[in-house]
Short mmCIF file of all heavy atoms in Angstrom, two decimals:
data_model
loop_
_atom_site.label_atom_id
_atom_site.label_comp_id
_atom_site.label_asym_id
_atom_site.label_seq_id
_atom_site.Cartn_x
_atom_site.Cartn_y
_atom_site.Cartn_z
N GLY A 1 -1.79 -12.05 5.16
CA GLY A 1 -1.41 -10.72 4.70
C GLY A 1 -2.53 -9.85 4.23
O GLY A 1 -2.31 -8.81 3.67
N LYS A 2 -3.74 -10.20 4.43
CA LYS A 2 -4.89 -9.42 3.98
C LYS A 2 -4.87 -8.04 4.59
O LYS A 2 -4.98 -7.04 3.88
CB LYS A 2 -6.19 -10.13 4.32
CG LYS A 2 -6.39 -11.58 3.72
CD LYS A 2 -7.64 -12.23 4.20
CE LYS A 2 -7.78 -12.39 5.66
NZ LYS A 2 -6.93 -13.42 6.26
N SER A 3 -4.79 -7.98 5.92
CA SER A 3 -4.83 -6.64 6.57
C SER A 3 -3.56 -5.87 6.30
O SER A 3 -3.60 -4.65 6.14
CB SER A 3 -4.89 -6.82 8.06
OG SER A 3 -6.08 -7.41 8.43
N THR A 4 -2.43 -6.58 6.11
CA THR A 4 -1.17 -5.88 5.74
C THR A 4 -1.30 -5.19 4.38
O THR A 4 -0.85 -4.06 4.16
CB THR A 4 0.01 -6.85 5.76
OG1 THR A 4 0.10 -7.42 7.04
CG2 THR A 4 1.30 -6.20 5.40
N LEU A 5 -1.90 -5.90 3.42
CA LEU A 5 -2.09 -5.32 2.06
C LEU A 5 -2.98 -4.09 2.17
O LEU A 5 -2.67 -3.01 1.57
CB LEU A 5 -2.72 -6.37 1.16
CG LEU A 5 -3.04 -5.88 -0.24
CD1 LEU A 5 -1.71 -5.41 -1.01
CD2 LEU A 5 -3.68 -6.95 -1.07
N LEU A 6 -4.03 -4.13 2.94
CA LEU A 6 -4.92 -2.98 3.11
C LEU A 6 -4.21 -1.80 3.82
O LEU A 6 -4.43 -0.64 3.48
CB LEU A 6 -6.22 -3.37 3.82
CG LEU A 6 -7.10 -4.30 3.10
CD1 LEU A 6 -8.27 -4.72 4.01
CD2 LEU A 6 -7.63 -3.76 1.81
N LYS A 7 -3.37 -2.15 4.73
CA LYS A 7 -2.59 -1.02 5.40
C LYS A 7 -1.59 -0.41 4.44
O LYS A 7 -1.35 0.78 4.55
CB LYS A 7 -1.85 -1.60 6.60
CG LYS A 7 -2.80 -1.93 7.77
CD LYS A 7 -1.98 -2.59 8.91
CE LYS A 7 -2.97 -2.99 10.03
NZ LYS A 7 -2.28 -3.71 11.11
N ILE A 8 -1.02 -1.17 3.54
CA ILE A 8 -0.12 -0.64 2.53
C ILE A 8 -0.95 0.29 1.57
O ILE A 8 -0.52 1.38 1.26
CB ILE A 8 0.55 -1.72 1.71
CG1 ILE A 8 1.64 -2.40 2.62
CG2 ILE A 8 1.25 -1.16 0.47
CD1 ILE A 8 2.20 -3.65 2.08
N LEU A 9 -2.14 -0.13 1.18
CA LEU A 9 -2.90 0.67 0.31
C LEU A 9 -3.45 1.92 0.93
O LEU A 9 -3.70 2.93 0.24
CB LEU A 9 -4.13 -0.16 -0.21
CG LEU A 9 -3.76 -1.29 -1.05
CD1 LEU A 9 -5.02 -2.11 -1.48
CD2 LEU A 9 -3.02 -0.88 -2.36
N SER A 10 -3.55 1.97 2.25
CA SER A 10 -3.97 3.14 2.97
C SER A 10 -2.75 3.91 3.51
O SER A 10 -2.94 4.94 4.29
CB SER A 10 -4.92 2.79 4.08
OG SER A 10 -4.31 2.00 5.06
N SER A 11 -1.59 3.57 3.09
CA SER A 11 -0.33 4.29 3.46
C SER A 11 0.01 4.21 4.93
O SER A 11 0.74 5.02 5.50
CB SER A 11 -0.30 5.72 3.02
OG SER A 11 -0.43 5.80 1.62
N VAL A 12 -0.54 3.25 5.67
CA VAL A 12 -0.21 3.06 7.09
C VAL A 12 1.10 2.30 7.21
O VAL A 12 1.92 2.60 8.06
CB VAL A 12 -1.31 2.27 7.78
CG1 VAL A 12 -0.89 1.86 9.21
CG2 VAL A 12 -2.59 3.10 7.82
N LEU A 13 1.38 1.36 6.28
CA LEU A 13 2.64 0.60 6.25
C LEU A 13 3.30 0.78 4.89
O LEU A 13 2.63 1.08 3.93
CB LEU A 13 2.36 -0.87 6.41
CG LEU A 13 2.03 -1.45 7.77
CD1 LEU A 13 1.71 -2.93 7.69
CD2 LEU A 13 3.09 -1.21 8.78
N LYS A 14 4.64 0.63 4.86
CA LYS A 14 5.36 0.72 3.59
C LYS A 14 5.82 -0.76 3.28
O LYS A 14 6.21 -1.48 4.16
CB LYS A 14 6.60 1.58 3.73
CG LYS A 14 6.18 3.03 3.87
CD LYS A 14 7.39 3.91 3.66
CE LYS A 14 6.98 5.35 3.74
NZ LYS A 14 7.27 6.01 2.52
N PRO A 15 5.76 -1.10 2.05
CA PRO A 15 6.18 -2.45 1.62
C PRO A 15 7.71 -2.55 1.70
O PRO A 15 8.41 -1.56 1.67
CB PRO A 15 5.68 -2.59 0.21
CG PRO A 15 5.65 -1.18 -0.34
CD PRO A 15 5.26 -0.32 0.88
N THR A 16 8.19 -3.80 1.77
CA THR A 16 9.61 -3.99 1.74
C THR A 16 10.18 -3.66 0.37
O THR A 16 11.19 -2.99 0.26
CB THR A 16 9.93 -5.46 2.07
OG1 THR A 16 9.31 -5.78 3.33
CG2 THR A 16 11.43 -5.70 2.19
N THR A 17 9.50 -4.11 -0.68
CA THR A 17 9.84 -3.77 -2.06
C THR A 17 8.60 -3.63 -2.89
O THR A 17 7.52 -4.01 -2.45
CB THR A 17 10.69 -4.85 -2.74
OG1 THR A 17 9.98 -6.07 -2.81
CG2 THR A 17 12.02 -5.08 -2.04
N GLY A 18 8.70 -3.03 -4.02
CA GLY A 18 7.59 -2.83 -4.94
C GLY A 18 6.78 -1.61 -4.72
O GLY A 18 7.17 -0.71 -3.90
N ASN A 19 5.72 -1.45 -5.45
CA ASN A 19 4.89 -0.23 -5.25
C ASN A 19 3.50 -0.47 -5.60
O ASN A 19 3.09 -1.48 -6.23
CB ASN A 19 5.48 0.97 -6.08
CG ASN A 19 5.51 0.64 -7.55
OD1 ASN A 19 4.52 0.28 -8.12
ND2 ASN A 19 6.64 0.86 -8.14
N ALA A 20 2.64 0.46 -5.16
CA ALA A 20 1.21 0.38 -5.42
C ALA A 20 0.78 1.75 -5.87
O ALA A 20 1.18 2.80 -5.30
CB ALA A 20 0.46 0.05 -4.14
N THR A 21 -0.08 1.78 -6.94
CA THR A 21 -0.66 3.07 -7.39
C THR A 21 -2.14 2.97 -7.40
O THR A 21 -2.66 1.94 -7.76
CB THR A 21 -0.11 3.48 -8.74
OG1 THR A 21 -0.39 2.44 -9.66
CG2 THR A 21 1.33 3.81 -8.72
N ILE A 22 -2.78 4.06 -6.94
CA ILE A 22 -4.24 4.15 -7.05
C ILE A 22 -4.61 5.36 -7.85
O ILE A 22 -4.21 6.49 -7.51
CB ILE A 22 -4.90 4.21 -5.60
CG1 ILE A 22 -4.52 2.97 -4.81
CG2 ILE A 22 -6.41 4.40 -5.72
CD1 ILE A 22 -5.00 3.06 -3.34
N LYS A 23 -5.30 5.13 -8.97
CA LYS A 23 -5.63 6.17 -9.89
C LYS A 23 -4.40 7.06 -10.26
O LYS A 23 -4.47 8.25 -10.32
CB LYS A 23 -6.75 7.03 -9.39
CG LYS A 23 -8.10 6.35 -9.19
CD LYS A 23 -9.13 7.26 -8.71
CE LYS A 23 -10.42 6.48 -8.56
NZ LYS A 23 -11.52 7.31 -8.05
N GLY A 24 -3.26 6.36 -10.54
CA GLY A 24 -2.07 7.09 -10.90
C GLY A 24 -1.27 7.71 -9.79
O GLY A 24 -0.14 8.16 -10.02
N LYS A 25 -1.71 7.65 -8.56
CA LYS A 25 -1.01 8.24 -7.42
C LYS A 25 -0.25 7.12 -6.70
O LYS A 25 -0.86 6.15 -6.22
CB LYS A 25 -2.00 8.92 -6.48
CG LYS A 25 -1.29 9.57 -5.30
CD LYS A 25 -2.36 10.20 -4.41
CE LYS A 25 -1.61 10.71 -3.15
NZ LYS A 25 -2.55 11.08 -2.14
N LEU A 26 1.04 7.28 -6.52
CA LEU A 26 1.90 6.30 -5.82
C LEU A 26 1.54 6.32 -4.31
O LEU A 26 1.57 7.37 -3.69
CB LEU A 26 3.37 6.61 -6.05
CG LEU A 26 4.35 5.59 -5.59
CD1 LEU A 26 4.24 4.27 -6.34
CD2 LEU A 26 5.78 6.15 -5.73
N VAL A 27 1.25 5.14 -3.78
CA VAL A 27 0.93 5.14 -2.30
C VAL A 27 2.03 4.47 -1.52
O VAL A 27 1.93 4.46 -0.30
CB VAL A 27 -0.45 4.38 -2.06
CG1 VAL A 27 -1.58 5.21 -2.64
CG2 VAL A 27 -0.39 3.00 -2.57
#
């Protein structure tokens, strides 16, 4: 899931559940 995690952080993919924030911005 390494590439999948990076794709979520770059907003290419959406996670099934949960969220990620970078510097306070929801991605």
Side-chain angles (χ1 to χ4, degrees):
K2 302 177 299 288
S3 295
T4 301
L5 179 60
L6 294 174
K7 288 176 184 177
I8 289 169
L9 295 177
S10 63
S11 299
V12 172
L13 286 176
K14 291 194 177 239
T16 305
T17 61
N19 59 54
T21 56
I22 299 175
K23 294 184 181 179
K25 181 181 174 191
L26 189 65
V27 293

